[in-house]
């Protein structure tokens, strides 16, 4: 049993502890096995030494954040306390976390341990499955890896595809030309590209098919070579579609398949092929699987709680 006193003088105690101690309660919840009490600028802690050391590290991060920014939100406290140790709004990240510099020179980076695993495993393997709930950054990280490969001339083109499930992969009844019909289903991919490539250059890439965005049905019969290929929302592909897609990959190619097995939108009579693919391909050399969870969520702080709530009540 160890005991220490941590002094937080130099930062605004109201900002550090939060209204009604809401921010500090997050700290106490994170380290619930420790006995933590506060009085004025001093925090008294007793318990396991290794846990105390972790607590000191997190408190130092919170203090540094306030020093740099003058304030800290509940969301940022949660981020700094999370196992992913994400640094936002003024806390510098490791240079190794930066995947590339995107439009307006913004840093596109892996923010969580599992996002970093996507980067590392994609560099080592030609095919990667990134599986996890909404908001975990799997698609965004995959697109960043593809843009990086294009910029570094590892590949010559990027192919981004999704099953257009809402239109049943039968787009004929929708108004407009082909682009107008499919764009709503592919918009998340455009949004990611907008962050990473200046608008003029992105338009050039799209017009010259250096970057191609198309529904999964359009991949049939093709050989996708010298390319970084991303299949997004793969839970909405059948086994036949997934087999078709995976057998399109040429000898010089990288591929990331993303999906969320809890959000299958296929019609009732159709079965998702993603779970089956994960099962039969898990031991194939050159194929890697990264599973993300609520800890990787980088959207609004409530998204993590929503995912956890649904997970606890998944049988209802």
């Amino acid at each position: 049993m160890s005991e220490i006193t941590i002094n937080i003088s130099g930062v605004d105690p109201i900002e550090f502890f939060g209204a009604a101690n809401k921010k500090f309660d997050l700290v106490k919840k994170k380290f619930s096995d420790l006995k933590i009490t506060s009085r004025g600028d001093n925090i008294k802690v007793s318990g396991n030494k290794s846990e105390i050391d972790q607590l000191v590290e997190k408190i130092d991060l919170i203090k540094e954040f306030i020093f740099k920014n003058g304030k800290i939100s509940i969301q940022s406290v949660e981020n700094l306390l999370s196992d992913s140790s994400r640094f936002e709004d003024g806390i510098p990240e490791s240079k190794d976390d930066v995947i590339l510099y995107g439009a307006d020179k913004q840093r596109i980076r892996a923010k969580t341990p599992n996002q970093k695993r996507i980067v590392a495993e994609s560099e080592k393997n030609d095919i990667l499955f990134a599986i996890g709930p909404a908001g975990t950054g799997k698609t965004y990280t995959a697109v960043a890896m593809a843009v990086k490969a294009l910029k570094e001339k590892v590949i010559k083109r990027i192919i981004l595809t999704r099953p257009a499930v809402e239109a049943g992969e039968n787009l004929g009844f929708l108004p407009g030309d082909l682009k107008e019909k499919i764009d709503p289903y592919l918009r998340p991919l455009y949004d990611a590209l907008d962050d990473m490539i200046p608008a003029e250059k992105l338009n050039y890439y799209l017009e010259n098919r250096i970057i191609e965005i198309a529904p999964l049905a359009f991949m049939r019969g093709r050989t996708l070579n010298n390319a970084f290929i991303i299949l997004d929302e793969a839970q909405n592909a059948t086994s036949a579609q997934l087999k078709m897609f995976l057998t399109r990959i040429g000898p010089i190619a990288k591929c990331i398949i993303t999906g969320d097995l809890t959000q299958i939108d296929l019609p009732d009579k159709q079965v998702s092929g993603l779970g089956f693919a994960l099962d039969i391909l898990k031991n194939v050399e050159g194929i890697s699987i990264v599973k993300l969870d609520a800890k990787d969520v980088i959207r609004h702080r409530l998204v993590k709680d929503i995912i956890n709530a649904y997970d606890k009540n998944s049988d209802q």
Side-chain angles (χ1 to χ4, degrees):
M1 177 77 69
S2 298
E3 185 175 300
I4 66 166
T5 298
I6 305 168
N7 186 272
I8 63 161
S9 60
V11 300
D12 181 354
I14 296 176
E15 195 61 46
F16 180 90
F17 289 104
N21 271 357
K22 284 187 177 179
K23 295 173 186 175
F24 191 59
D25 284 345
L26 293 173
V27 177
K28 292 167 74 173
K29 182 180 178 181
K30 172 70 176 178
F31 295 94
S32 57
D33 290 337
L34 298 176
K35 183 179 179 181
I36 305 173
T37 57
S38 62
R39 187 169 184 176
D41 290 340
N42 293 319
I43 300 169
K44 188 175 180 180
V45 186
S46 59
N48 180 274
K49 185 179 184 307
S50 64
E51 287 193 65
I52 290 176
D53 290 342
Q54 293 175 39
L55 171 64
V56 170
E57 180 184 348
K58 295 298 185 182
I59 287 178
D60 284 345
L61 287 175
I62 294 171
K63 288 168 61 179
E64 182 183 356
F65 192 109
I66 297 172
F67 281 137
K68 287 179 177 289
N69 299 278
K71 60 183 180 179
I72 190 168
S73 66
I74 288 178
Q75 173 71 70
S76 292
V77 172
E78 288 185 333
N79 287 347
L80 293 172
L81 289 172
S82 72
D83 293 335
S84 59
S85 298
R86 287 171 290 185
F87 304 118
E88 300 286 353
D89 305 322
I91 301 294
E93 75 284 348
S94 165
K95 288 183 180 179
D96 293 338
D97 297 340
V98 178
I99 302 171
L100 75 154
Y101 290 88
D104 300 324
K105 304 298 182 183
Q106 65 173 306
R107 290 168 296 193
I108 308 297
R109 54 195 174 93
K111 296 180 179 179
T112 74
N114 282 324
Q115 288 179 13
K116 293 173 188 177
R117 281 191 63 212
I118 290 174
V119 173
E121 292 297 318
S122 177
E123 288 176 345
K124 291 189 297 184
N125 298 279
D126 286 340
I127 297 177
L128 167 71
F129 287 86
I131 309 302
T136 51
K138 53 191 183 294
T139 299
Y140 197 83
T141 305
V143 173
M145 292 299 294
V147 173
K148 177 185 178 184
L150 181 64
K151 287 187 173 185
E152 294 178 352
K153 300 184 178 178
V154 175
I155 45 89
K156 293 183 178 179
R157 57 184 176 147
I158 296 172
I159 298 171
L160 309 174
T161 184
R162 266 186 161 198
V165 167
E166 295 88 342
E169 292 274 9
N170 181 8
L171 304 167
F173 69 90
L174 293 175
D177 61 20
L178 178 62
K179 187 175 186 301
E180 291 171 331
K181 291 176 181 181
I182 65 177
D183 271 3
Y185 308 105
L186 305 172
R187 176 47 51 189
L189 300 173
Y190 284 104
D191 290 343
L193 289 170
D194 285 340
D195 282 351
M196 299 174 198
I197 303 174
E200 187 175 334
K201 195 163 193 176
L202 178 56
N203 288 334
Y204 171 82
Y205 284 157
L206 291 168
E207 288 171 5
N208 290 275
R209 298 178 67 84
I210 295 169
I211 296 179
E212 180 183 350
I213 306 178
L216 177 59
F218 287 30
M219 298 299 110
R220 190 174 301 278
R222 301 179 59 183
T223 298
L224 308 176
N225 196 29
N226 271 315
F228 199 118
I229 312 143
I230 296 173
L231 169 57
D232 194 35
E233 300 284 353
Q235 76 276 4
N236 290 327
T238 64
S239 283
Q241 288 174 319
L242 262 175
K243 180 182 177 183
M244 175 273 292
F245 171 78
L246 289 167
T247 54
R248 299 304 93 205
I249 299 170
I252 304 173
K254 286 273 191 181
C255 177
I256 296 181
I257 299 103
T258 72
D260 176 3
L261 288 166
T262 68
Q263 291 193 356
I264 298 171
D265 301 314
L266 287 166
D268 291 341
K269 292 183 180 180
Q270 294 187 356
V271 178
S272 171
L274 181 58
F276 179 68
L278 292 171
D279 186 49
I280 65 170
L281 299 175
K282 61 186 176 185
N283 295 319
V284 176
E285 187 176 352
I287 297 179
S288 180
I289 299 171
V290 175
K291 293 186 178 180
L292 302 95
D293 56 33
K295 292 178 182 177
D296 298 293
V297 169
I298 53 174
R299 292 181 181 169
H300 191 283
R301 64 185 180 86
L302 289 176
V303 174
K304 186 185 300 183
D305 295 333
I306 290 167
I307 291 169
N308 286 330
Y310 272 95
D311 285 346
K312 289 177 183 177
N313 297 277
S314 58
D315 58 337
Q316 297 183 16

